[in-house]
Amino acid sequence: MEVFNILPQYINRRINVMNIIYSVEGEFITQLARTKCYEEHRAKYAIDLLKSVTMTDDLTESEHLALCMDILSGKKEIVGTYPNSDYRIKTNEGITDNKFIEYIDDVSRENATLKEQLKKATEKMDFLLNYLSLDDDKKKEINREFRNTFGEELFEIESNLMPPLLSSFLERMNDTEEHSTEDYGWLEPNGTFHPVDYGEHWEWAHKYAEENFPFAEYPHMYKVPTADGGTKRIEGSDFLIYALHWVLLDNPAQGIASVTRDESRALTKAQKEFLYNYYRERNLTALANKIWND
């Protein structure tokens, strides 16, 4: 097991005139995976990361998973630099404790405690809500404020519920405050926002691509991989999203803008800052916080 496949997002890339040389440091990947698991509590992310850089036909799926767990536990680690011959799995002798299994046990106990606390809090909330006996108009008012803060509604109101698209449209129409940006448009990775009128984002994207990245000069940028191992051509909005990694703010119902982006890539810091301020200005605190914390 000395040669592994490497995913591009974990690779240090050095570009020469005609050659692209990829390398990955085993020690860095090992430490990154452990940090994601134990400090950020993203165990699945850590395991997927380790799987991606230790892919081999010599292991079954269960053996591969066990290898990743051993790396997280400290029993093994990735050393050397790919694609050099020193890139390999190193076994650390004398380590018998399974730190990863202990971590899972700790998380399970913590989850059980949190579930019990949530159950008690829910029972207290239900008691208070029943005691208040609010009419529907007051519940709707509270729901609106609660949704803007927490992203969900506090009361279930069965009568006179509007379809979500209509509700979103009316919410935007009732927003009479002045904002620092327009409602719809394109957002670059560096945080630059390009306002675009409703329904014109595809044409705007197509024109921008043709003027700045004409297909005749940049044909490779217009291709993305497909699930079957092939490629397909993209254009218009897809080009800005998947080739340039822009974010689209738009809504087909002319309501509050939603984010359309390449979900396989994280937002840049500049994009997060823009979107956080964008939604905070529109009193959508929960949505702003969700984008910032993702």
Side-chain angles (χ1 to χ4, degrees):
M1 294 189 303
E2 293 187 355
V3 179
F4 304 103
N5 295 326
I6 308 300
L7 289 184
Q9 58 263 43
Y10 309 122
I11 292 173
N12 300 317
R13 178 179 297 179
R14 183 171 72 253
I15 302 179
N16 296 326
V17 176
M18 293 297 293
N19 299 317
I20 299 179
I21 301 174
Y22 297 98
S23 66
V24 60
E25 295 181 358
E27 291 84 353
F28 170 78
I29 292 295
T30 299
Q31 186 56 47
L32 175 61
R34 291 172 181 170
T35 298
K36 292 295 182 182
C37 180
Y38 299 123
E39 296 183 16
E40 299 183 17
H41 305 294
R42 299 176 65 184
K44 184 180 183 303
Y45 179 101
I47 291 176
D48 289 343
L49 168 59
L50 292 174
K51 279 186 174 181
S52 70
V53 296
T54 57
M55 297 177 70
T56 173
D57 295 332
D58 297 336
L59 298 176
T60 65
E61 181 65 24
S62 59
E63 289 172 339
H64 198 183
L65 177 60
L67 171 62
C68 296
M69 293 172 61
D70 283 345
I71 294 173
L72 290 174
S73 295
K75 294 181 178 180
K76 300 179 185 294
E77 59 184 300
I78 308 171
V79 298
T81 302
Y82 180 91
N84 299 339
S85 60
D86 64 341
Y87 186 75
R88 67 190 190 283
I89 298 296
K90 173 187 173 184
T91 300
N92 296 320
E93 303 295 341
I95 298 180
T96 58
D97 295 336
N98 196 325
K99 183 179 178 181
F100 182 72
I101 297 298
E102 294 174 358
Y103 165 77
I104 295 299
D105 288 341
D106 290 341
V107 171
S108 298
R109 285 192 293 270
E110 183 178 353
N111 284 343
T113 300
L114 291 175
K115 286 182 180 179
E116 183 62 27
Q117 292 175 348
L118 176 61
K119 178 182 177 182
K120 292 181 179 179
T122 302
E123 291 173 349
K124 293 178 181 178
M125 178 65 73
D126 289 341
F127 175 85
L128 291 174
L129 295 180
N130 291 329
Y131 180 80
L132 291 173
S133 300
L134 302 172
D135 59 37
D136 284 350
D137 288 339
K138 189 61 178 178
K139 288 180 179 179
K140 291 177 182 178
E141 179 183 346
I142 294 175
N143 269 351
R144 183 167 56 253
E145 297 299 326
F146 197 85
R147 184 176 64 251
N148 289 340
T149 302
F150 298 103
E152 59 183 343
E153 294 186 345
L154 185 60
F155 297 99
E156 292 185 3
I157 306 175
E158 296 182 358
S159 60
N160 300 322
L161 286 178
M162 290 182 293
L165 291 179
L166 177 58
S167 177
S168 177
F169 172 77
L170 293 178
E171 188 171 2
R172 174 173 170 262
M173 291 299 100
N174 290 329
D175 182 9
T176 58
E177 297 182 13
E178 292 291 332
H179 302 306
S180 59
T181 61
E182 298 296 327
D183 288 332
Y184 305 132
W186 285 101
L187 176 63
E188 295 187 44
N190 65 9
T192 301
F193 181 68
H194 303 272
V196 178
D197 290 338
Y198 170 77
E200 297 182 5
H201 62 271
W202 194 97
E203 290 79 3
W204 193 98
H206 179 75
K207 181 179 178 182
Y208 181 91
E210 284 298 304
E211 292 178 352
N212 294 275
F213 301 93
F215 179 79
E217 297 180 30
Y218 302 92
H220 62 285
M221 295 183 65
Y222 287 79
K223 294 181 180 180
V224 295
T226 57
D228 60 3
T231 61
K232 68 175 182 179
R233 178 174 173 175
I234 55 175
E235 56 184 337
S237 297
D238 285 345
F239 180 83
L240 263 59
I241 293 172
Y242 296 103
L244 302 185
H245 313 303
W246 288 27
V247 169
L248 173 63
L249 282 167
D250 193 50
N251 188 313
Q254 300 187 56
I256 299 297
S258 58
V259 170
T260 302
R261 64 184 182 91
D262 182 355
E263 296 292 341
S264 68
R265 299 176 62 92
L267 293 169
T268 65
K269 184 174 183 293
Q271 286 173 328
K272 280 192 171 186
E273 289 175 347
F274 177 91
L275 293 172
Y276 178 81
N277 293 326
Y278 175 93
Y279 285 114
R280 282 295 299 270
E281 281 189 3
R282 289 159 175 80
N283 296 317
L284 297 171
T285 306
L287 185 53
N289 290 336
K290 182 178 184 301
I291 289 176
W292 184 259
N293 293 324
D294 280 348

